[in-house]
Amino acid sequence: MQAQNLKMNPGEGAIKPDMSLAEIYNLVVENLASLGPGVKGLNNHEGSLITTDEMKIGAVLDACTDYGVFFLDSRTTKDTMAPQAALERGIT
């Protein structure tokens, strides 16, 4: 996930702010699938820009739910919207 510092390159396969919700969802699923079976969850690291956008982090949570994995918010920013997006989806 893209950090608030846009000079930081999050690398290949990263969620970036200009992506649509469908692109984010599909990218998360593709990234999880590329890791193979056994993945239990994921977390954000330097993903503070994405977690501040309730819709974008919601797309991540939707992909996690559909893929059957958990999302752990590393709270890389005090402005995270992950708890709100999770609450709206009935996710703890």
Side-chain angles (χ1 to χ4, degrees):
M1 292 184 197
Q2 179 67 55
Q4 286 180 330
N5 178 353
L6 297 176
K7 292 180 181 179
M8 293 185 72
N9 180 352
E12 187 177 331
I15 299 168
K16 298 191 177 172
D18 62 341
M19 298 174 85
S20 72
L21 300 180
E23 288 172 319
I24 291 170
Y25 177 94
N26 291 331
L27 181 61
V28 171
V29 170
E30 288 171 18
N31 286 344
L32 286 167
S34 75
L35 297 173
V39 175
K40 302 293 183 205
L42 59 100
N43 75 310
N44 58 307
H45 181 71
E46 299 177 355
S48 55
L49 184 61
I50 303 304
T51 59
T52 62
D53 185 313
E54 187 175 345
M55 298 295 289
K56 292 186 186 306
I57 195 61
V60 172
L61 295 178
D62 291 340
C64 289
T65 298
D66 291 348
Y67 203 81
V69 299
F70 66 84
F71 174 80
L72 175 68
D73 184 7
S74 295
R75 306 228 13 128
T76 55
T77 177
K78 66 178 179 56
D79 299 321
T80 182
M81 293 302 293
Q84 181 63 31
L87 181 66
E88 291 177 2
R89 289 163 173 76
I91 302 171
T92 56

